[in-house]
């Protein structure tokens, strides 16, 4: 029996709903850490978000519109079977650090990792049906999530989808918009316009 591809839209909606709940909680919470420590966390978090955006664009250059149509095994896909999920998880940790909280960073990272790993495992079953032995051999040598840089392989030429790259760039802008949004939230909380019900380290 032919397996149906995952409902990607449902997965995205579930992640977005979870993100909204976390965002609502952060409106009435404040990080304990302040001063230079807070600024350092923001800088590290912003760097991780930049890595996330650059990594997702790098990955989409290789897979483009070929997902579920061809098996991509070069570039970032030679080190991990799910580089888009990996870089998104890095971005989630970055968002938590931009907020100024180690707890929030760990929470967002853990939730993202769990959600993406579950999705990746379900997708692996679907890809085994689509590509058979080719995918089985690829999966045997390539980690499902955490990359192994020693496996890196590439080609001299590559075709990519401008439309897929544009969509990924626009998604990346949402990650980058987190920084001014967090700065605005910090200003609103400092002015006393929002109550502080609890604090995070």
């Amino acid at each position: 029996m032919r397996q149906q591809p995952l409902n990607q839209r449902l997965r995205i909606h579930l992640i977005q709903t979870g993100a909204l709940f976390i965002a609502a909680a952060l409106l009435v919470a404040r990080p304990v850490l302040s001063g230079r420590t807070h600024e350092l966390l923001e800088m590290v978090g912003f760097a991780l978000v930049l890595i996330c955006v650059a990594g997702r664009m790098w990955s989409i250059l290789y897979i483009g519109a070929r997902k579920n149509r061809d098996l991509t095994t070069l570039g970032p896909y030679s080190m991990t079977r799910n580089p888009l999920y990996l870089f998104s998880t890095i971005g989630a940790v970055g968002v938590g650090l931009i907020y100024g909280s180690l707890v929030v960073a760990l929470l967002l990272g853990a939730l993202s990792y769990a959600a993406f790993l579950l999705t990746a495992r379900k997708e692996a079953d679907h890809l085994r049906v689509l590509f058979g032995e080719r995918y089985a051999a690829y999966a045997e040598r390539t980690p499902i999530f955490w990359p192994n840089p020693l496996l890196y392989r590439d080609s001299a030429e590559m075709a990519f989808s401008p439309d897929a790259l544009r969509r990924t760039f626009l998604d990346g802008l949402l990650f980058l918009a987190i920084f001014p949004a967090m700065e605005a939230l910090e200003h609103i909380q400092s002015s006393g316009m929002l109550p502080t019900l609890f604090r995070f380290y």
Side-chain angles (χ1 to χ4, degrees):
M1 180 177 177
R2 186 175 177 81
Q3 203 171 350
Q4 294 299 315
L6 286 178
N7 187 336
Q8 299 289 349
R9 192 174 299 276
L10 175 61
R11 174 181 60 82
I12 291 171
H13 286 328
L14 288 174
I15 292 174
Q16 288 174 338
T17 301
L20 285 176
F21 276 111
I22 292 174
L26 295 184
L27 289 176
V28 292
R30 294 185 71 175
V32 173
L33 301 174
S34 60
R36 289 180 180 269
T37 304
H38 182 83
E39 291 177 3
L40 178 60
L41 290 180
E42 283 185 334
M43 290 173 58
V44 173
F46 190 65
L48 292 181
V49 168
L50 289 178
I51 290 171
C52 163
V53 173
R56 284 179 56 82
M57 292 186 69
W58 179 38
S59 302
I60 214 68
L61 282 174
Y62 284 81
I63 199 166
R66 293 190 295 273
K67 189 169 185 178
N68 293 328
R69 297 179 184 178
D70 192 17
L71 185 60
T72 304
T73 62
L74 298 175
Y77 289 88
S78 65
M79 299 182 292
T80 168
R81 283 179 272 159
N82 294 280
L84 285 167
Y85 295 163
L86 169 69
F87 287 115
S88 294
T89 300
I90 290 172
V93 174
V95 168
L97 293 179
I98 288 174
Y99 177 72
S101 168
L102 295 171
V103 170
V104 173
L106 290 173
L107 177 64
L108 291 177
L111 290 176
S112 297
Y113 172 69
F116 286 133
L117 184 60
L118 177 62
T119 303
R121 285 174 174 166
K122 291 182 178 178
E123 284 181 342
D125 294 336
H126 176 62
L127 292 172
R128 280 190 177 89
V129 173
L130 287 179
F131 301 111
E133 289 301 318
R134 285 180 62 208
Y135 183 79
Y138 170 59
E140 186 176 350
R141 69 175 182 267
T142 312
I144 191 171
F145 196 88
W146 301 113
N148 181 354
L150 298 177
L151 298 175
Y152 185 78
R153 295 184 304 116
D154 213 336
S155 63
E157 295 183 359
M158 175 187 58
F160 71 94
S161 167
D163 186 53
L165 188 62
R166 178 185 59 82
R167 290 196 306 269
T168 303
F169 175 73
L170 293 177
D171 288 344
L173 291 181
L174 292 177
F175 270 102
L176 293 175
I178 293 291
F179 189 73
M182 290 295 187
E183 289 295 311
L185 175 60
E186 187 178 335
H187 175 73
I188 291 172
Q189 289 176 330
S190 297
S191 66
M193 296 174 64
L194 286 173
T196 301
L197 301 183
F198 49 94
R199 291 178 175 268
F200 289 115
Y201 273 97

